[in-house]
């Protein structure tokens, strides 16, 4: 069962190859030890043609993740940006999710990744609503995970490394098998960190807060966009920690992420959140949708047109 619809081309190590030819050996080092860094980016149709949302910021985060892991990429910033544009052009499907990935390839086994060549690929594919189509309207149901979010003393959360996602997958599977849509992970000090693949925001009265980067989260680019929207909406914003019980007593809660978008949470562990209306979340979601689809000129500088 493959849910991904094959497109035409994938960028691998500097050239566009046919979709079915983008293969790796089973002894690929990164496959065994999780030694890979990646990005998730979206491209949307806009009135001026397909546009990639906040491409330079994603590329910078990609390069920073590689730097944390001492991974020397054989391509520079411009080449990665261009690779993203090239795959979208080559495949001719504007509304796609882009996944740049750098990994230690086929060379040596054993824990020292520096003995294997670094490979880089950029693939784009169609990826619909991450947390279901109904989620955006009704809100989704979340549960606080029994798994602790990874910690920068062991696995730096700000570097988007494949290995981090074993922690995310444990939390995600636990949530799904308990009948919830998504997980919320606490960090090593017991306060809220983030979702398995999303940042989290809390609204109480007219104050919106999100955990600071030091709380063991990925510095989300959607999170950053929402922080700008809060300023533009003249809402009070705080980067501050909150506890599990403060989740329950929030007026509104929402996730942010490239895959998830701005996604309201209607329940946490059997407690309904607020009144079930999400006026602030809805406003922010609308701004986000407007920005990514090129309908709001004030955010046009965030778009990289591919034509
Ligand atoms: N936290 C985590 C752990 C995370 O993986 C993401 C993105 C975010 C926060 C939000 O970051 P940003 O996309 O820059 O706003 N998760 C990506 C991967 C999801 C997946 O399942 O794969 C994504 O949303 O693309």
């Amino acid at each position: 069962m493959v849910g991904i619809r094959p497109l035409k081309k994938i960028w691998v190590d500097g050239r566009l190859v046919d979709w079915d030819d983008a293969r790796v050996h089973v002894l690929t080092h990164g496959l065994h030890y999780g030694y890979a860094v990646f990005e998730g980016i979206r491209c949307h149709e806009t009135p001026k043609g397909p546009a990639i949302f906040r491409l330079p910021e994603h590329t910078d985060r990609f390069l920073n993740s590689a730097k944390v892991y001492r991974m020397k990429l054989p391509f520079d910033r411009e080449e990665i940006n261009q690779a993203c544009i090239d795959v979208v052009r080559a495949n001719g499907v504007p509304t796609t999710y882009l996944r740049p990935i750098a990994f230690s390839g086929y060379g040596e086994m054993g824990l020292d990744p520096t003995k294997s060549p670094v490979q880089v690929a950029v693939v784009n594919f169609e990826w619909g609503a991450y947390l279901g189509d109904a989620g955006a309207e009704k809100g989704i149901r979340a549960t606080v995970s029994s798994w602790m979010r990874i910690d920068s003393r062991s696995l730096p959360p700000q570097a988007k490394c494949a290995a981090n996602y074993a922690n995310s997958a444990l939390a995600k599977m636990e949530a799904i098998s308990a009948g919830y849509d998504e997980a919320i992970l606490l960090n090593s000090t017991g306060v809220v960190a983030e979702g398995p693949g999303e940042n989290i925001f809390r609204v109480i009265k007219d104050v919106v807060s999100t955990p600071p980067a030091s709380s063991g989260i990925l510095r989300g680019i959607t999170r950053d966009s929402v922080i700008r929207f809060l300023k533009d909406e003249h809402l009070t914003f705080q980067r501050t920690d909150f506890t599990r019980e403060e989740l329950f007593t929030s007026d509104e809660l929402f996730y942010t992420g490239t895959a998830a978008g701005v996604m309201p949470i209607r329940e946490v562990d059997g407690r309904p959140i607020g009144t079930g209306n999400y006026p602030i979340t809805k406003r922010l979601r609308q701004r986000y949708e407007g920005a990514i689809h090129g309908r709001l000129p004030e955010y046009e500088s965030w778009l990289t047109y591919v034509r």
Side-chain angles (χ1 to χ4, degrees), residues 43-52 82 85-86 88-89 92-94 304-307:
C43 182
H44 302 270
E45 196 63 84
T46 77
K48 294 186 192 167
I52 303 174
Q82 193 59 47
I85 294 168
D86 288 349
V88 175
R89 280 188 188 148
V93 183
T304 299
Y305 294 106
V306 307
R307 280 203 193 116

Side-chain angles (χ1 to χ4, degrees), residues 61 97 99 130 149 160 165 194 196-197 220-222 258-259:
R61 191 171 66 184
Y97 180 90
R99 171 57 56 85
Y130 187 63
R149 187 65 184 141
K160 205 168 161 61
Y165 290 84
E194 60 182 339
I221 290 162
T222 320
T258 300

Side-chain angles (χ1 to χ4, degrees), residues 25-36:
H25 196 276
V26 290
L27 282 177
T28 296
H29 185 275
L31 184 62
H32 293 253
Y33 306 114
Y35 205 83

